[in-house]
């Protein structure tokens, strides 16, 4: 009997941890796709998989309307390009809050919890473009939330890249973490403002990028399942880069007097294509370890047994994203562009070998591809036409180390022509390329390379009811008051 009681207690504890993990887990929902899934389909996808939090990068009306009444907790966002206007005018901040927060904040509306003021505005790649506008914009937005009477439950924060803090080369351990010297003053001001308003610090942590940016980075240190040589920080052993990175931030917060500030991981994930390390097998390994730790409430050495609120990046692949940081940028989704899961994944962290629930009601274009015309006479302009197609569609899977790398010229041409053809919704004129291409009903896909058939977008795919249309119209009118 005692043994049975112990088993029941253990099961109850495991259930509680799993429930806590589900509550702490969210998704980044990006929409930079040529044929995005209809918002209602995506919201159903979130609900079917028990995902209770979502982080957006814009407050697009259709997306927000689809989230209304769903019960899903939302972090809405302000793009970096708006920071200057919001920094320079409290009136502009109040107007933004009215149109993008208050507009949806009602019983049965959108459950907004955070406002993300900018996105990684202090990236060194921006050359200081947002250094002088981020803090005043954050201040004005939080004041606007407070003035609207909702600042006690809706907090403004700034999702920051992990490069805003570091440890000195002379002592490269987490406990020596400090904010980057060129922005230390601004970071201190931001932290104090967050603390004053009981708002969290939001950070994006990407172990994949540690591997991508440094060929000498130890592979196993990017994961959670052991095998890496630990980093010894005065007797504290760090066996993975996520923990080390997170605790470097904790040390930096402590150095400015706020070591107990809550931290939200705004983005964490692993891409599945576009680089030699961007593989589904690695993504599955990474998420399995991360979710297991989240479910167990392991925390990190600096904050042991402390669940971490985090948003996986990302929900869906985005084939229209910029590839300036790398071709992998279009392949972060745990779901493909059409809402189909890529690999086994148990969001509860219990390690079950199960697939996520796929998107429902997805409508595809006809099963027609565009391929190289085998009877084409003049191939002298083939390269130029491939370049044209890839400049207007996603060909990142053809790159070195990617899933479609290594095909012959005909395969590369067919992939490029088809990618463009699908982006153009299979318009007849989009499969010609000066006589080099022809439509085909034979699928050219291989065991490793998928030749896409795009989804139907627009009114034909949305399936909105008359009630929904009236509801949207009502929200539009309310926004003008």
């Amino acid at each position: 009997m005692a043994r049975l009681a112990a088993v029941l207690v253990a099961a109850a504890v495991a259930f509680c941890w799993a429930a806590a993990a589900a509550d702490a887990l969210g998704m980044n929902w990006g929409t930079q796709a040529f044929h995005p899934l209809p918002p209602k389909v995506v919201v159903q996808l979130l609900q079917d998989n028990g995902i209770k939090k979502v982080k957006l990068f814009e407050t697009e009306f259709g997306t927000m309307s689809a989230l209304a009444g769903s019960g899903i907790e939302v972090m809405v966002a302000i793009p970096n390009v708006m920071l200057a206007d919001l920094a320079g005018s409290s009136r502009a901040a109040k107007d933004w809050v009215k149109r993008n927060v208050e507009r949806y904040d009602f019983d049965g509306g959108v459950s907004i919890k955070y406002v993300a003021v900018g996105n990684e505005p202090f990236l060194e790649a921006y050359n200081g473009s947002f250094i002088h506008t981020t803090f005043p914009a954050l201040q004005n937005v939080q004041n606007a939330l407070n003035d609207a009477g909702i600042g006690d439950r809706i907090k403004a924060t700034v999702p920051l890249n992990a490069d805003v803090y570091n440890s000195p080369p002379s002592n490269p351990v987490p406990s020596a973490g400090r904010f980057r010297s060129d922005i230390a003053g601004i970071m201190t001001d931001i932290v104090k403002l967050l603390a004053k308003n009981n708002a969290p610090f939001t950070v994006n942590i990407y172990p994949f990028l540690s591997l991508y940016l440094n060929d000498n980075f130890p592979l196993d240190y990017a994961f959670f399942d052991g095998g890496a040589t630990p980093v010894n920080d005065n007797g504290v052993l760090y066996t993975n880069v996520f923990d080390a990175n997170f605790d470097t931030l904790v040390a930096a917060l402590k150095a400015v007097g706020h070591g107990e500030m809550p931290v939200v991981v705004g983005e964490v994930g692993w891409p599945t294509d576009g680089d030699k390390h961007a593989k589904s097998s690695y993504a599955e390994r990474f998420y399995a370890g991360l979710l297991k730790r989240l479910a167990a409430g392991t925390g990190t050495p600096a904050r042991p047994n402390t669940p971490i609120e985090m948003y996986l990046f990302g929900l869906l692949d985005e084939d229209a994203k910029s590839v300036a940081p790398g071709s992998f940028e279009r392949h972060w989704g745990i779901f493909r562009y059409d809402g189909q899961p890529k690999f086994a994944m148990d969001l509860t962290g219990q390690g079950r070998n199960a697939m996520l629930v796929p998107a429902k009601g997805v409508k595809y274009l006809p099963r027609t591809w565009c391929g190289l015309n085998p009877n084409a006479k003049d191939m002298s302009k083939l390269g130029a036409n491939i370049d044209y197609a890839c400049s207007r569609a996603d060909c990142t899977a053809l790159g070195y180390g990617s899933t479609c790398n290594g095909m012959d010229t005909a395969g590369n041409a067919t992939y490029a022509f088809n990618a463009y053809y699908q982006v153009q919704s299979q318009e007849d004129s989009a499969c010609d390329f000066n006589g080099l291409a022809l439509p085909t009903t034979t699928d050219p896909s291989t065991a490793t390379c998928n030749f896409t058939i795009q989804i139907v977008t627009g009114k034909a795919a949305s399936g909105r009811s008359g009630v929904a249309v009236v509801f949207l119209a009502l929200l539009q009118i309310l926004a003008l008051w």
Side-chain angles (χ1 to χ4, degrees):
M1 183 67 71
R3 183 178 180 182
L4 176 60
V7 170
L8 291 174
V9 169
V13 170
F15 176 82
C16 290
W17 276 121
D23 289 341
L25 183 67
M27 292 287 172
N28 282 270
W29 175 5
T31 57
Q32 295 184 56
F34 289 114
H35 285 231
L37 281 173
K40 285 186 175 294
V41 171
V42 178
V43 171
Q44 186 64 55
L45 176 67
L46 293 167
Q47 293 175 319
D48 288 345
N49 286 284
I51 299 165
K52 300 179 180 179
K53 298 175 184 283
V54 71
K55 177 169 166 279
L56 306 175
F57 294 90
E58 56 187 352
T59 51
E60 192 273 328
F61 185 71
T63 300
M64 296 295 286
S65 300
L67 285 164
S70 68
I72 295 172
E73 187 180 279
V74 180
M75 180 186 295
V76 297
I78 298 172
N80 289 340
V81 294
M82 295 184 64
L83 293 178
D85 289 342
L86 298 177
S89 169
S90 60
R91 180 73 260 171
K94 289 180 178 180
D95 287 345
W96 189 93
V97 166
K98 182 176 182 179
R99 287 184 172 273
N100 297 280
V101 179
E102 292 181 80
R103 174 187 195 179
Y104 304 103
D105 182 45
F106 55 88
D107 188 22
V110 182
S111 302
I112 299 173
K113 184 175 182 181
Y114 300 119
V115 175
V117 182
N119 185 51
E120 300 185 338
F122 297 153
L123 278 176
E124 292 180 317
Y126 290 143
N127 297 315
S129 299
F130 308 108
I131 281 183
H132 300 297
T133 55
T134 300
F135 173 69
L138 173 67
Q139 192 170 39
N140 283 344
V141 170
Q142 185 63 64
N143 287 342
L145 292 169
N146 295 343
D147 291 345
I150 54 178
D152 58 331
R153 55 186 174 83
I154 302 177
K155 306 296 183 180
T157 183
V158 182
L160 293 159
N161 187 275
D163 72 353
V164 300
Y165 51 86
N166 52 45
S167 298
S170 60
N171 190 25
V173 293
S175 63
R178 298 294 184 272
F179 288 116
R180 210 170 73 208
S181 58
D182 63 310
I183 56 172
I186 296 172
M187 287 305 306
T188 300
D189 290 340
I190 287 175
V191 169
K192 288 181 178 178
L193 180 63
L194 294 174
K196 178 182 177 182
N197 289 281
N198 296 314
F201 190 102
T202 303
V203 63
N204 300 339
I205 300 177
Y206 283 108
F208 167 80
L209 293 180
S210 298
L211 197 60
Y212 175 75
L213 296 171
N214 182 2
D215 281 337
N216 296 318
F217 188 86
L219 176 66
D220 286 344
Y221 200 59
F223 300 95
F224 300 92
D225 49 9
T229 301
V231 171
N232 190 329
D233 184 357
N234 299 313
V236 178
L237 300 182
Y238 285 88
T239 59
N240 66 84
V241 69
F242 179 89
D243 284 357
N245 193 308
F246 189 95
D247 283 0
T248 303
L249 168 60
V250 172
L253 290 169
K254 185 177 181 180
V256 297
H258 291 281
E260 302 304 316
M261 173 170 281
V263 174
V264 171
V265 177
E267 297 178 18
V268 59
W270 200 283
T272 57
D273 211 347
D275 180 70
K276 62 182 180 180
H277 291 125
K279 303 178 180 179
S280 289
S281 58
Y282 283 172
E284 185 174 0
R285 177 185 175 188
F286 178 79
Y287 284 122
L290 179 69
L291 294 169
K292 181 179 180 180
R293 288 164 55 86
L294 181 64
T298 303
T300 65
R303 291 186 175 180
N305 303 315
T306 304
I308 302 172
E309 182 178 355
M310 64 176 65
Y311 295 79
L312 303 188
F313 191 93
L315 184 65
L316 300 159
D317 280 351
E318 299 174 80
D319 61 353
K321 279 193 75 176
S322 168
V323 293
S327 295
F328 55 84
E329 282 293 339
R330 294 176 176 172
H331 305 279
W332 285 104
I334 60 174
F335 292 93
R336 301 193 323 158
Y337 71 99
D338 56 356
Q340 299 300 306
K342 296 179 179 179
F343 45 80
M345 190 176 190
D346 182 3
L347 295 178
T348 69
Q350 304 307 299
R352 295 172 299 182
N353 185 27
M355 300 297 284
L356 297 173
V357 179
K360 296 175 180 175
V362 180
K363 299 178 182 179
Y364 294 86
L365 296 171
R367 287 182 59 80
T368 304
W369 293 262
C370 180
L372 181 67
N373 181 357
N375 299 315
K377 303 299 183 183
D378 183 6
M379 304 290 283
S380 62
K381 295 182 179 180
L382 182 62
N385 278 279
I386 291 174
D387 289 344
Y388 176 86
C390 289
S391 69
R392 290 161 174 78
D394 178 31
C395 295
T396 53
L398 294 175
Y400 172 73
S402 301
T403 54
C404 299
N405 182 239
M407 293 189 295
D408 60 16
T409 300
N412 289 335
T414 296
Y415 189 93
F417 293 162
N418 182 66
Y420 178 81
Y421 179 60
Q422 301 298 332
V423 166
Q424 300 299 321
S425 300
Q426 299 185 1
E427 290 287 338
D428 290 343
S429 60
C431 187
D432 181 74
F433 293 97
N434 302 118
L436 293 170
L438 283 175
T440 176
T441 55
T442 300
D443 186 353
S445 298
T446 69
T448 59
C449 179
N450 178 59
F451 285 64
T452 300
I453 291 290
Q454 265 295 356
I455 63 174
V456 177
T457 56
K459 293 182 179 179
S462 63
R464 283 187 183 142
S465 67
V467 173
V469 172
V470 171
F471 175 72
L472 298 183
L474 178 60
L475 283 179
Q476 291 278 22
I477 294 170
L478 290 174
L480 299 177
W481 285 7

